[in-house]
């Protein structure tokens, strides 16, 4: 009885070991399919490489798109700048080195117009210019200047300019007179006194020049006087 029971257990165990479920279980527990095995490592490495390839592709496509937009904007800017040039220079913007090239083109067009007689029958030819208004001045300043002119007055900087020029002329006459007196053998102390007086007058004139340069319109400034520069021609 015991022998028969042992044989039945042995046959059932051998049948279980050869069943598909047991083989599947043994395959799953095989070292090559474990968590750190080559199979899973292969799968993880392939997935990481594919993700890096996708990221690289997206970066390159975005950079290409940005470059394309930049090129289009540059082309638009170039076209706008090209339209600002005279027709003779359009398409040759790289050959335009300075404003002189543009001025030369404008002068050529003026000369061609003169040769064709386009300036012969202009409106107001032979008549005096109307200088009552200044189209280049600020409207408020232009109105103020007209009011001053009608009342026989002038702007402060105009009056100050006349005053400075008069004083400079008188100062130079006095300097030349003092230098001539020195050269004629007069007392040296008198020349020193004249120099001190003339230097004081020079400082007063330069103060007026400084105030004049602060209120005068741009481009009409003047230089002050320098003692060495004024005396140098006399010493020669």
């Amino acid at each position: 009885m015991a022998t028969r029971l042992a044989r039945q257990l042995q046959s059932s165990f051998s049948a279980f070991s050869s069943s598909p479920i047991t083989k599947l279980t043994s395959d799953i527990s095989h070292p090559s399919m474990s968590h750190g095995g080559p199979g899973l490592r292969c799968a993880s490495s392939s997935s990481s490489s594919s993700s890096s390839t996708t990221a690289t592709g997206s970066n390159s496509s975005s950079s290409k798109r940005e470059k394309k937009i930049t090129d289009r904007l540059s082309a638009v800017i170039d076209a706008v700048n090209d339209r600002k040039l005279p027709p003779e220079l359009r398409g040759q913007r790289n050959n335009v080195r300075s404003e002189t090239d543009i001025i030369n083109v404008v002068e050529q067009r003026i000369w061609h117009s003169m040769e064709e007689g386009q300036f012969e029958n202009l409106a107001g030819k032979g008549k005096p210019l109307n200088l009552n208004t200044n189209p280049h001045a600020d409207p408020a300043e232009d109105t103020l200047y007209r009011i001053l002119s009608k009342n026989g007055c002038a702007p402060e900087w105009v009056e100050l300019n006349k005053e400075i020029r008069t004083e400079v002329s008188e100062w130079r006459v006095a300097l030349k007179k003092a230098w001539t007196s020195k050269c004629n053998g007069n007392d040296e102390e008198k020349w020193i006194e004249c120099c001190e007086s003339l230097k004081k007058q020079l400082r007063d004139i330069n103060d007026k020049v400084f105030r004049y340069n602060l209120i005068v319109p741009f481009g009409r400034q003047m230089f002050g006087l320098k003692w060495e520069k004024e005396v140098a021609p006399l010493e020669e």
Side-chain angles (χ1 to χ4, degrees):
M1 187 69 182
T3 305
R4 187 184 301 172
L5 182 60
R7 288 177 180 175
Q8 290 179 355
L9 289 173
Q10 186 177 0
S11 61
S12 61
F13 178 77
S14 59
F16 176 76
S17 61
S18 61
S19 64
I21 297 175
T22 307
K23 291 181 180 180
L24 179 62
T25 306
S26 63
D27 291 340
I28 293 174
S29 62
H30 195 273
S32 62
M33 298 297 292
S34 63
H35 179 69
L40 286 180
R41 286 178 185 174
C42 245
S44 62
S45 63
S46 63
S47 62
S48 63
S49 63
S50 63
S51 61
S52 63
T53 304
T54 304
T56 305
S58 62
N59 291 334
S60 63
S61 62
S62 62
S63 63
K64 289 180 180 179
R65 186 165 55 253
E66 291 177 358
K67 185 177 183 301
K68 187 176 181 181
I69 294 173
T70 304
D71 293 341
R72 292 181 64 183
L73 289 175
S74 299
V76 171
I77 294 172
D78 291 341
V80 171
N81 292 332
D82 194 62
R83 291 289 298 175
K84 293 179 181 179
L85 297 174
E88 292 87 346
L89 296 177
R90 289 176 185 173
Q92 307 176 24
R93 197 162 52 86
N94 295 330
N95 297 329
V96 179
R97 295 178 297 274
S98 63
E99 293 183 358
T100 307
D101 296 332
I102 300 177
I103 293 173
N104 292 337
V105 172
V106 173
E107 290 180 350
Q108 290 176 4
R109 296 174 69 175
I110 292 174
W111 279 106
H112 291 161
S113 300
M114 291 175 64
E115 291 176 354
E116 294 173 359
Q118 297 182 11
F119 294 99
E120 294 297 327
N121 298 318
L122 295 178
K125 180 181 178 181
K127 298 179 181 179
L129 296 175
N130 183 10
L131 301 178
N132 294 329
T133 59
N134 184 3
H136 304 289
D138 182 74
E141 292 183 357
D142 189 42
T143 303
L144 177 61
Y145 291 156
R146 285 204 307 272
I147 295 173
L148 292 173
S149 178
K150 289 180 180 180
N151 291 275
C153 302
E156 180 184 1
W157 62 270
V158 174
E159 298 292 344
L160 189 57
N161 183 287
K162 294 179 180 179
E163 183 179 348
I164 291 172
R165 292 182 182 278
T166 302
E167 292 184 3
V168 168
S169 179
E170 293 175 353
W171 183 86
R172 284 174 175 165
V173 170
L175 175 62
K176 188 174 181 180
K177 183 177 180 181
W179 180 263
T180 304
S181 177
K182 174 192 174 186
C183 293
N184 290 336
N186 291 343
D187 191 4
E188 187 70 21
E189 292 183 359
K190 187 176 181 180
W191 163 249
I192 294 174
E193 292 177 2
C194 290
C195 287
E196 293 298 328
S197 175
L198 289 170
K199 287 181 180 179
K200 183 179 182 302
Q201 295 176 18
L202 183 141
R203 287 192 294 270
D204 294 340
I205 292 173
N206 285 338
D207 290 341
K208 291 183 179 181
V209 170
F210 179 77
R211 185 160 62 90
Y212 168 82
N213 289 336
L214 292 177
I215 62 176
V216 71
F218 179 77
R220 296 179 177 269
Q221 286 74 14
M222 62 169 58
F223 293 102
L225 299 179
K226 291 184 178 180
W227 175 261
E228 296 80 5
K229 188 176 179 180
E230 297 293 331
V231 174
L234 300 175
E235 294 177 346
E236 296 176 356

